[in-house]
C-alpha cells in the first residue's frame, strides 16, 4: 500500500503570496504599491514599527509615495510615456515591488528577504502581464487606451488595498 503524500505549505505561504501580489501591483503602477503599503502601515493594518521597514509607517514617506503615485497615474496616460517593460520602467517596478514585498513580509512576521524577492518577481510579472493585457484589450476590443488605462488604475488601487487589508 502506497502512502499518500501531502503537500505541506510553509506556515507563511499566504503572507508570501501577498508579497508576490503587492509586487504585481508595483508592476502595474510602480509607485502605487509603496503608497498603499505606507497607507496600510499608517492605518495600522501593517505593523512595521519595530522592523527594518519602519520608514513605511512614516507620514512623510506616505505623502511622498502618494504624490509620486498620483503623478504616475497622470503620466501613464500621456503618449510620450515610455513602456513599463523598458529598462527604466522595469527596474523601478522591481525595486518598488521588492521594497513593498519586504514591508508586507516583515509587517506580517515573515522573512524580509523572501518578501523582497517575491515582491520583485511580482513586479516583473505584473509589468509584463499588465503591458500585454492592456495592449490586447486596446487592439482586440477597439477601446481607447485611456479607458483601459483608467480601468487598470482602478484594478491596481483596489488590488493593492485588498492585499494590505488581508494582513
Amino acid at each position: 500500500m502506497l502512502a499518500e503524500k501531502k503537500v505541506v505549505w510553509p506556515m507563511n505561504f499566504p503572507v508570501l503570496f501577498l508579497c508576490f501580489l503587492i509586487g504585481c501591483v508595483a508592476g502595474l503602477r510602480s509607485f502605487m504599491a509603496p503608497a498603499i503599503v505606507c497607507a496600510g502601515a499608517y492605518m495600522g493594518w501593517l505593523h512595521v514599527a519595530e522592523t527594518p521597514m519602519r520608514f513605511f509607517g512614516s507620514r512623510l514617506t506616505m505623502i511622498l509615495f502618494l504624490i509620486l503615485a498620483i503623478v504616475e497615474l497622470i503620466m501613464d496616460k500621456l503618449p510620450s510615456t515610455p513602456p513599463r517593460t523598458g529598462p527604466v520602467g522595469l527596474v523601478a517596478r522591481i525595486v518598488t515591488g521588492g521594497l513593498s514585498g519586504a514591508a508586507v513580509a516583515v509587517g506580517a512576521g515573515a522573512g524580509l528577504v523572501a518578501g523582497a524577492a517575491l515582491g520583485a518577481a511580482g513586479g516583473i510579472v505584473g509589468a509584463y502581464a499588465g503591458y500585454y493585457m492592456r495592449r490586447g484589450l486596446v487592439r482586440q476590443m477597439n477601446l481607447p487606451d485611456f479607458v483601459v488605462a483608467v480601468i487598470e488604475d482602478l484594478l491596481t488601487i483596489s488590488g493593492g488595498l485588498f492585499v494590505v487589508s488581508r494582513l
Side-chain angles (χ1 to χ4, degrees):
M1 182 194 264
L2 293 172
E4 185 177 315
K5 289 187 177 183
K6 289 175 121 179
V7 176
V8 179
W9 294 107
M11 192 170 140
N12 289 330
F13 176 76
V15 171
L16 295 175
F17 184 63
L18 293 175
C19 295
F20 176 77
L21 291 179
I22 200 67
C24 289
V25 169
L28 296 173
R29 298 287 180 271
S30 59
F31 291 111
M32 190 57 67
I36 289 172
V37 169
C38 285
Y42 187 76
M43 291 188 288
W45 294 348
L46 187 61
H47 306 287
V48 295
E50 302 298 321
T51 72
M53 306 306 287
R54 65 183 156 271
F55 66 91
F56 272 100
S58 160
R59 182 187 298 207
L60 180 62
T61 305
M62 181 181 66
I63 290 169
L64 174 67
F65 277 123
L66 284 172
I67 290 169
L68 289 169
I70 291 167
V71 169
E72 182 180 26
L73 290 174
I74 294 166
M75 297 293 291
D76 178 65
K77 312 306 177 286
L78 302 176
S80 61
T81 302
R84 69 184 91 193
T85 55
V88 173
L90 195 57
V91 167
R93 283 157 173 76
I94 292 168
V95 170
T96 59
L99 283 171
S100 299
V104 166
V106 299
L112 183 140
V113 174
L118 287 166
I124 295 168
V125 170
Y128 281 98
Y131 172 78
Y132 287 113
M133 282 193 265
R134 181 168 164 180
R135 189 176 78 170
L137 285 170
V138 168
R139 288 183 181 172
Q140 295 293 325
M141 299 186 76
N142 202 24
L143 293 170
D145 184 68
F146 181 83
V147 170
V148 177
V150 170
I151 293 169
E152 185 181 12
D153 293 342
L154 296 173
L155 290 172
T156 302
I157 294 166
S158 59
L161 290 172
F162 173 81
V163 167
V164 175
S165 69
R166 299 297 110 196
L167 300 170

